[in-house]
Each structure stands twice: as C-alpha cells, then as structure tokens.
Amino acid sequence: MATFFNIGAGFKEGLPLRPWAAELLKKRTAENSKDNPDAHCLPMGLMQLHEHPQPRKIIQTPGVILIIYEANSGLRQIFTDGRSLPPKDVDPWWYGYSVGKWDGDTLVVETTGFRDDVWLDVNGSPLTESGKMIERFRRPNYGSLEIEVTVDDPKAYTKPFPAKVSQRNMPATALLEFICQENEKSVPHLVGK
C-alpha cells in the first residue's frame, strides 16, 4: 500500500523507475525533500493529496465532481459531462485534467496534462507531463473510501504500476481554512543535507 512519504513502499523491488528518475528520486531523498512543492506552499501531487492526513470534501454535481482539499486549499475538478481529455499540447496543471465516468458503484477517473515537475510522494517520486493516472474511487461501506490508482508515465517509469489508498469518510465534517503562506517561517530552514 502506498504511503504519504513513499508511493513505492509496498513494492518488494521498488518502483519501476527509469535510470534518470531513480537518480532524481535519490537526490530528492538525500536532500530531505527540501524542494517538495508542499514545503513551499505549492500544490502537491494527487497521490500526496490522497495520502495527506488533512481532510477533503467531495462535491458531486451533474457535470463535475469537485474535491476540495484542506491541504493548501487545493481544488480539483473531475468532469463527468462526457467530455474527452484535452489534447496533448494543453497547458499543464498541477493536478492535471480529469474526466470521470461511473462503472457501477465505482467512479473511474482518467487524468493527463500534468506539469513536468509533479511529486507523487514526499520523497519525490516523479511524475512528468507524459504521465497518466487512472483512479477507481469506491465506497465499500458507509465510513470508507478506497482509491485504486494506476500510474502510467513512460518517461519516468519502465511500466505502469498500481497504488492503493484507503480513506475514512467524515461526511458531517467542515474543512478548516488553510493558508500555507500565513506566518510561514520554515522555508529558510529547508537546507537538505
């Protein structure tokens, strides 16, 4: 199972990284992840958000599902109105462009159009503009949400790989306002090794 720090924690042989990506991950880890976007109040990668301990709220409307993340006040749009993913030359986004459809009781979401510098986890497993994520959101019972993710990024990885996330539902909970830059004093201390 994926963790907030290491999406490849459950892989006996580690992630199927290409040599350049393995070197980048090694460098990021050796530097104590000092350049992680979250540490600089920038948006996190989707896997970091899935694993983040702060809550999120999912709002479903007829044409779009919104996920509001308390962490860095992130907002994700998953279009369910039948549109296709945008063309390959679209301006890249931190969270990519997501389209979803229902397959029985499972929401299947396909996302492309990422920036070239996304971090999948705190350690710094990379995701590039060639990346594609397929997520399968399912509620096995009232209090749980399971997300099965397939990461497919041929630029950074030798083959697609799965990750699984389990979340607890808290439907009557309000999100707190989270302003990352307010009273921020830790960035000058992020020096790595």
Side-chain angles (χ1 to χ4, degrees), residues 37-42 72 178-185 187:
D38 186 32
H40 298 276
C41 298
L42 295 170
N72 287 346
F178 181 97
I179 309 301
C180 184
Q181 285 289 349
E182 186 174 53
N183 202 29
E184 170 54 48
K185 293 183 176 36
V187 169

Side-chain angles (χ1 to χ4, degrees), residues 10-46:
F11 291 88
K12 190 175 184 180
E13 306 293 322
L15 292 174
L17 292 156
R18 295 202 177 275
W20 75 266
E23 193 58 38
L24 177 62
L25 177 58
K26 183 179 175 182
K27 176 182 178 279
R28 288 173 171 176
T29 303
E31 293 177 340
N32 294 320
S33 304
K34 70 176 180 69
D35 294 322
N36 187 313
D38 186 32
H40 298 276
C41 298
L42 295 170
M44 290 177 261
L46 293 180

Side-chain angles (χ1 to χ4, degrees), residues 17-192:
L17 292 156
R18 295 202 177 275
W20 75 266
E23 193 58 38
L24 177 62
L25 177 58
K26 183 179 175 182
K27 176 182 178 279
R28 288 173 171 176
T29 303
E31 293 177 340
N32 294 320
S33 304
K34 70 176 180 69
D35 294 322
N36 187 313
D38 186 32
H40 298 276
C41 298
L42 295 170
M44 290 177 261
L46 293 180
M47 284 306 301
Q48 272 189 274
L49 285 168
H50 284 330
E51 288 290 332
H52 205 284
Q54 292 176 338
R56 76 253 329 127
K57 186 172 285 215
I58 300 173
I59 301 170
Q60 182 177 344
T61 70
V64 66
I65 294 173
L66 300 173
I67 304 179
I68 305 169
Y69 300 95
E70 188 174 284
N72 287 346
S73 300
L75 176 64
R76 182 177 179 201
Q77 302 174 87
I78 301 170
F79 292 98
T80 56
D81 58 3
R83 72 179 65 186
S84 300
L85 285 167
K88 299 256 185 236
D89 62 348
V90 69
D91 284 336
W93 284 6
W94 289 95
Y95 303 141
Y97 295 84
S98 300
V99 296
K101 64 181 181 205
W102 289 98
D103 180 10
D105 64 351
T106 301
L107 175 66
V108 180
V109 178
E110 191 173 337
T111 305
T112 60
F114 294 103
R115 292 170 48 107
D116 199 35
D117 57 354
V118 173
W119 290 44
L120 288 173
D121 53 25
V122 173
N123 288 345
S125 299
L127 185 70
T128 73
E129 81 283 349
S130 299
K132 175 179 172 179
M133 289 178 63
I134 297 174
E135 301 153 291
R136 299 178 64 80
F137 293 78
R138 190 173 81 73
R139 288 181 63 179
N141 56 50
Y142 178 76
S144 302
L145 177 67
E146 290 180 352
I147 309 169
E148 294 178 358
V149 182
T150 301
V151 177
D152 185 1
D153 185 351
K155 184 175 173 184
Y157 300 92
T158 59
K159 61 184 178 182
F161 64 90
K164 186 173 181 179
V165 178
S166 295
Q167 296 179 348
R168 186 173 49 125
N169 282 348
M170 302 180 297
T173 303
L175 298 179
L176 299 177
E177 185 177 68
F178 181 97
I179 309 301
C180 184
Q181 285 289 349
E182 186 174 53
N183 202 29
E184 170 54 48
K185 293 183 176 36
S186 56
V187 169
H189 306 287
L190 299 174
V191 295

